[in-house]
Structure formats: C-alpha cells, structure tokens
Amino acid sequence: MSLIVVGTMAFDAIETPFGKSDRIIGGSATYVAYAAANFVQPVQQISIVGNDFPEAEMAELRSRGVQLDGVEVVADKPSFFWSGRYHMDMNTRDTLVTDLNVLADFNPQVPDAFQGAEFLMLGNLMPKLQKQVIEQLKERPRLIVMDTMNFWMDIAMDDLKEVLGMVDVLLVNDGEARQLSGEFSLVKAARKIMAMGPQYLIIKKGEHGALLFHKDQVFFAPALPLEDVFDPTGAGDTFAGGFIGHIARTKDISFDNMKTAIIVGSAMASYCVEKFGPERLKEITKEDIERRLQQFQELVNFDIELV
Amino acid sequence: MSLIVVGTMAFDAIETPFGKSDRIIGGSATYVAYAAANFVQPVQQISIVGNDFPEAEMAELRSRGVQLDGVEVVADKPSFFWSGRYHMDMNTRDTLVTDLNVLADFNPQVPDAFQGAEFLMLGNLMPKLQKQVIEQLKERPRLIVMDTMNFWMDIAMDDLKEVLGMVDVLLVNDGEARQLSGEFSLVKAARKIMAMGPQYLIIKKGEHGALLFHKDQVFFAPALPLEDVFDPTGAGDTFAGGFIGHIARTKDISFDNMKTAIIVGSAMASYCVEKFGPERLKEITKEDIERRLQQFQELVNFDIELV
C-alpha cells in the first residue's frame, strides 16, 4: 500500500484579515504528507528543500512514517518561499512574493526504493516535473492523482494538458475548472475536462464543499460550516492528502470509495484551516478525525420520504 | 393540514446572460403556491392583483387546489411589476424596474374560512404586512415560516426585526444572513439571528445549496449541479413552497423532518430554474419530483468507514 507524494516543501508568509504569520512551514507535499500519514505509511516523499529547512520538521515528518529519501537538500540555496494575502472571503488571495530559490533547478528523481508504488499523488508543482516523475516509474501506479492550479494554466497550459492525459484523477477548484474548460457551468466544465484525460474530476469549492464527477455520476461533499477560518493555506493540499491517504489505506479505487475519500479529505481540510500552516494537522489524533467524520455524516444525513 | 400562504402575485420581466423574457407571471406567493400544492391542498392564498392578472392563471392555481378567497382583485390598477437583470453567475442581479402598483395599498385580510390554519408561510413581502397577517390569526399556527430579502433590511429593518420575534423559521440567503447579523461567518451569523427570534434558520446559498440551523445543530443540503440555470427568478420562493408543502403534508415539525423538507425544497427549486417564470413548475409530475429526490439522495449518500 505504498504511496508516492511529489510536490513542494517550502516556507510561506501569510496575511489574512484576522492575522499575520511569520515565515512558517508550507509546501504542497508537506501538507499532503501530514494529512496522508494518518492513513497510510510509509508516505514516500519526492521534493526539494534548501539549507534553511529545519531538521526538526524533517524529523517530525519521519516520525509519522514519511520517507524522505526522495527529498533533495540543496546546501547553498534557500527553500522555495511564497507569501500571500487573503481577502475577506478567505477564498481569494493575492500573491505578494514568489521566490523559487531551489525550486528553479528541481529535477525530481524517484529513488529505487520507491519503485512499484501503487498510488501516486502529484501535488501542486510545475506540470513538467509532475510528468517527469510519472515517466520515471517502471510500473504504472494503480491510481495517479494530480493537483494543479491556475498559475500553471496561465504559463504552462500545454505541459499541463500533457500531464492531464496521463492521470486518473484531477483536483482543481471551481475557478480553475472554468478556466481550463472555458465553460461556466461546472457540469459542462467537468465533461470537457474528463475528455482531456482524467476519468475522475474533483472540483473543490472551498467553504461550499466539493464535487466528484465520473462519467455521468456526480457526488457532492459539503464543507463543514466553521465558526472561523483562520488560514486557508494548504487546505487544498490537505484535502488531497486525506483523499489519497484513504484510497491508499483501503486500496479501493471504486467511485463509491472515492466518495468516502472526499469526505475524509474534507475532514482533514477542515482541521487545516483552524491554525496557521500545518500546525493543526500535527496536533490532531485519530479520535479527532473520527469525530469530525461523524460530524460530516450528521451534516448531510437525511431520510427521504418520497411523496 | 391547512396552509396559508401570503405574498405577492405579480408580473416580472427578466434578462439573463442567456435570454430575455416578456412580461411573465411572477410573485413570491405564486411560486410558493405552485410548489406547495404538489404536497398539500388546499393552499390558502392571501395576496393582491390588479386588473391585468390573467384569469387563466387564477384558474390554473384553483385547479391545483389553491384557494384564492384571500386574493384581492383591484379593478382600476395594474399588478405589481418587477424587472431585473442577472449577472453571469446567476446569483446576483440588478433591479431595473419596481412598479408597486396595487401593492402600494395592500392591506391583507385573512378570510374567516382560513382561520385555524396549522401552517403559515409568509412569502417575501413588506414585513409590516407579514406581521398584520400573523396578528389577524385567532389561533397561532403550529409553524410560522418567514421569507424575506435584503431590500427590507435596507428600508424596514425595525419592522423586519419585529416580525422575526414572531416566527419559527426564517429563510434568507447568505448575503442577507451576513447583512442581518453583521457577521461574515455563517455559523456566527446563524447564532445571532436565532437570538432575534426564529428557532430555525435556513440560509440559502443558490448553486451552493442550503444550511439549516437549530440550536447547535446544523444540516447541509446540496443544490443539484445543473448543466444550465435558465432563470433563477422564484427559485427561493419555490424552495420555500416545497419546504412548507412537505411540512404541511407530514405535519411533522421536528428537526429531522425539516431536513427532508429542505431537500424537497431544493428539488422543487432545481426544476424552477429550468425555464422562465413558473412554467416548469406547471409541467412537472409527482414522478418527476420523486425522481429528483432520488437524485439528491444519490448526490450526497456516502459510506463512512472510520479509520
């Protein structure tokens, strides 16, 4: 039940209408790993960091069953750094700083020990690098899940479309689904995007939940109504980590099990936003996760009484 | 199982990014009645129309079990008229014309035959008039449901708050919940609004579904992902009609039954938006409604497997 995760490990600095963080740990693969490791071990991580990434953070990840053999450490450069400011709705944000640093030269290498993995999670990263990892795998994983973002649609759409043809599940948000398809209706957008390659499409709508499309089927997962969203950074990556973690644990890639996986992803994301960075993900226990999954069931459970 | 419905019966003219209607039938009580009459009869209607409201429409409503004894017909004035233009997202709109006409002098009177009704649906209308109807009822209905909108918050907030203290269930959209409470978080907004009177609060989020709050409980109902939304006018009123129709049919005002009622309301609203005005509501059969309720169940149904 091995799982490879590819993506960034980085520093973020975040401003929200409610607070401001210092330089804190971030990165798509970091969030995916913290979320997925609750469900499956080992998590086989492929990423790159600079000379400033704390050894304590690496140790923390290792203690949770995250194998870091695929994480390149560059001695003479700092880690990738992103800074952004969220708007009042906490769904939209402006990027203030993007320092690629080590990411500019990232040339991901799959360690021999990672070969044969059943599941591959391509966290948000340059599409070209996502493709490079797929191509290094001697055996195709049973399920390849890809996360991406509008930034790559703006500057690397051709690369992105090439990777789309190689993956099974795509994760995007509603704005990105519209941008990628040119359709406003998400139902129409889903049909067009699935024609580009992925058999399954997950459209994340932040506080409005998420939709899973597959052929003519559709499933809707709510977001938990929260009193406060403290920091949405990493919520999408955490969602992806919960999703692939559940799939890898159960080894079941049916549509029905993907529904459950989306609820698991939503539950993990609902914890992520409660504190800055991945802090909250480090605190929660299996019991916390179970309790929240129960809340999701109560949130949507109804008796249908046909008229 | 009698149900009184109060609200407008009117004409609308609608522009959307996809089309434009002539003057067509509209009004909050019209939509509520068309939706509710699928579940409960009679629907006892209180409203006002002018000399231009078609007798054919009145006959159509009567044939569906809507009693029009409470609908005043003014011989020398035209009916209330509203015209609006929807934005691309179909969730926001600009009002182009509001001709109050007969509505300016509306003085609702509850016919004697309507006394003793178990359920009261206050469709969107001046809060003062909603209150006037409640005060005319000799026996308090088991459940009073109130719909309203931002317009009354802008110009008649004191009246609105007075009515809030007299009702059991309030229906508003997310923007209105924020305006009414001064809170951005819908969870916080719900708590404040319930402190103003209603024990139950339904927050409609258009294509993003609806939330039901009661004390510390919360339920989320999705909206059906639709390929096209043709005209959202009346969707909120139709939702209210399906909701109160189901409650009046089952005579069960428990939180659990309200969940089902919200799904019924969502199903009715999903039909409403498929054509201009209430046209689609006139076409659908009990079998159509059952089929759509089934779709809602498939949309959100998942197995939780605790980790």
Side-chain angles (χ1 to χ4, degrees), chain A residues 48-303:
Chain A
I48 189 165
V49 297
N51 51 17
D52 52 356
F53 202 84
E55 176 49 36
E57 197 70 28
M58 303 288 246
E60 179 73 37
L61 283 163
R62 263 188 225 103
S63 77
R64 290 161 186 265
V66 183
Q67 295 180 349
L68 302 173
D69 316 46
V71 178
E72 187 184 343
V73 183
V74 180
D76 60 352
K77 279 192 182 169
S79 303
F80 172 48
F81 173 71
W82 175 84
S83 168
R85 184 189 292 135
Y86 287 89
H87 303 169
M88 187 63 198
D89 68 0
M90 293 294 242
N91 249 339
T92 49
R93 64 185 184 192
D94 298 322
T95 289
L96 303 174
V97 181
T98 306
D99 290 337
L100 285 183
N101 300 329
V102 294
L103 206 58
D105 311 311
F106 187 26
N107 179 22
Q109 298 300 321
V110 177
D112 284 343
F114 289 8
Q115 291 291 348
E118 274 183 281
F119 301 98
L120 172 60
M121 177 71 229
L122 301 168
N124 182 34
L125 189 67
M126 295 81 146
K128 209 169 44 180
L129 301 186
Q130 292 178 319
K131 183 182 158 203
Q132 198 173 315
V133 170
I134 298 176
E135 286 176 339
Q136 286 175 51
L137 296 177
K138 292 173 186 155
E139 212 176 309
R140 190 191 192 278
R142 280 182 64 206
L143 195 77
I144 304 181
V145 181
M146 174 192 191
D147 195 5
T148 190
M149 71 183 296
N150 52 355
F151 184 67
W152 310 120
M153 296 176 195
D154 293 337
I155 68 163
M157 185 62 115
D158 289 346
D159 290 346
L160 196 156
K161 286 198 172 164
E162 224 180 308
V163 188
L164 271 187
M166 305 167 83
V167 305
D168 303 300
V169 183
L170 175 70
L171 286 154
V172 284
N173 70 28
D174 41 0
E176 291 157 354
R178 289 181 170 128
Q179 182 174 351
L180 186 54
S181 66
E183 292 284 349
F184 191 83
S185 151
L186 294 180
V187 176
K188 289 182 182 172
R191 200 176 300 132
K192 276 203 180 172
I193 293 170
M194 287 190 286
M196 297 175 189
Q199 282 206 56
Y200 299 86
L201 171 68
I202 296 169
I203 299 181
K204 300 169 289 178
K205 305 198 298 170
E207 60 158 335
H208 301 303
L211 291 163
L212 165 66
F213 292 92
H214 174 56
K215 292 181 179 160
D216 288 330
Q217 292 177 285
V218 56
F219 171 68
F220 181 92
L224 202 67
L226 295 171
E227 202 146 323
D228 294 296
V229 170
F230 194 74
D231 171 20
T233 309
D237 309 309
T238 302
F239 178 97
F243 176 80
I244 194 67
H246 175 80
I247 299 272
R249 181 179 77 81
T250 55
K251 294 174 168 265
D252 173 355
I253 61 172
S254 68
F255 184 77
D256 270 349
N257 194 47
M258 283 195 195
K259 293 182 186 180
T260 308
I262 285 181
I263 298 289
V264 172
S266 302
M268 298 309 293
S270 75
Y271 275 121
C272 176
V273 303
E274 290 182 348
K275 292 198 174 175
F276 273 127
E279 276 321 297
R280 190 70 180 116
L281 294 180
K282 297 184 198 173
E283 295 170 356
I284 55 172
T285 62
K286 278 206 158 34
E287 289 65 39
D288 291 323
I289 298 172
E290 283 185 28
R291 203 174 317 117
R292 194 139 287 186
L293 289 173
Q294 202 59 52
Q295 278 179 278
F296 271 86
Q297 195 161 45
E298 283 159 21
L299 182 64
V300 296
N301 186 40
F302 65 89
D303 288 325

Side-chain angles (χ1 to χ4, degrees), chain A residues 191 220 227 260 299 303 307, chain B residues 191 220 227 260 299 303:
Chain A
R191 200 176 300 132
F220 181 92
E227 202 146 323
T260 308
L299 182 64
D303 288 325
V307 290
Chain B
R191 199 176 300 131
F220 181 90
E227 202 147 322
T260 308
L299 183 64
D303 288 326

